Amino acid sequence: MSALTTNLAAIRAKSPCRDGWATLKKHVGDMADDAPLPLTTILDSNGIDDALWVAYCVIGEPARVALAPFLRECGLRACDHAERALPIFEAKRPGDDRPRKAIEAARGCIAGTKTRQQARAAAADAAYAAAAAAAAYAAYAAADAADAAYAAYADADAYGYAAAARRTAREQERAWQTARLREYLNGTVAQKEAA
């Protein structure tokens, strides 16, 4: 993959958050507004959330195309994490298959066999299951399933897959996503998979 780049002027034109902008400006110093700014620099400076915001809100379609495999991979990881939590929910609410159906819908949406509307509906059902669960851990498990399903249809929200996967595994997932995004941006994913 060729390096995804932007510049400070393009970022400023999209009204970035104040804290993120200050962090980036401090990192790049006196960089000219029109100087090329690689997405990897933003990842290093501000982290994955801001890097993905720039990718989708500033760079736009080239980033959507280039990072689609990364987002699919994150979406599938979100499903995997949510699936591991299902036994907790199902032990407390036997017969309530809404979280399981949400994960299935999320996987189907990622694979292209389910529509975004189907994933959205399944996600809402899983969220209702989470609200109805009496035990806190069961509610968390159902909420993870809802996050995974919401992520499956949320690719238009720029970083829905990545956000859902991060919510389910927290810091470990965040570290993996940051490293994996760097591999995609540097083109090493394709090189590793070709070897």
Side-chain angles (χ1 to χ4, degrees), residues 51-66:
L52 290 173
W53 179 83
V54 168
Y56 289 93
C57 295
V58 179
I59 298 171
E61 190 60 23
R64 281 183 186 76
V65 171

Side-chain angles (χ1 to χ4, degrees), residues 23-185:
T23 299
L24 181 61
K25 287 292 288 177
K26 182 178 179 182
H27 184 80
V28 299
D30 293 332
M31 175 182 273
D33 278 0
D34 61 350
L37 178 59
L39 194 56
T40 52
T41 300
I42 299 163
L43 181 63
D44 292 339
S45 169
N46 292 47
I48 193 166
D49 292 331
D50 285 355
L52 290 173
W53 179 83
V54 168
Y56 289 93
C57 295
V58 179
I59 298 171
E61 190 60 23
R64 281 183 186 76
V65 171
L67 296 179
F70 167 73
L71 295 177
R72 279 192 298 277
E73 192 173 358
C74 287
L76 292 172
R77 283 178 63 95
C79 290
D80 291 346
H81 289 298
E83 217 161 50
R84 285 193 287 277
L86 275 178
I88 298 167
F89 177 83
E90 291 171 341
K92 297 293 182 186
R93 301 209 28 118
D96 189 345
D97 63 353
R98 293 177 290 179
R100 183 170 295 282
K101 285 184 175 178
I103 295 168
E104 291 168 3
R107 288 187 187 281
C109 188
I110 293 165
T113 61
K114 298 270 187 192
T115 66
R116 292 166 76 175
Q117 291 78 13
Q118 289 171 310
R120 183 181 298 120
D125 286 346
Y128 289 128
Y137 290 117
Y140 291 142
D144 286 347
D147 283 345
Y150 277 123
Y153 76 80
D155 59 341
D157 292 342
Y159 43 81
Y161 290 158
R166 268 197 326 282
R167 282 191 301 273
T168 59
R170 311 291 186 251
E171 292 306 313
Q172 183 180 13
E173 183 64 24
R174 184 182 206 77
W176 176 87
Q177 286 180 12
T178 299
R180 191 66 170 167
L181 178 58
R182 188 177 313 288
E183 290 175 359
Y184 274 94
L185 294 174

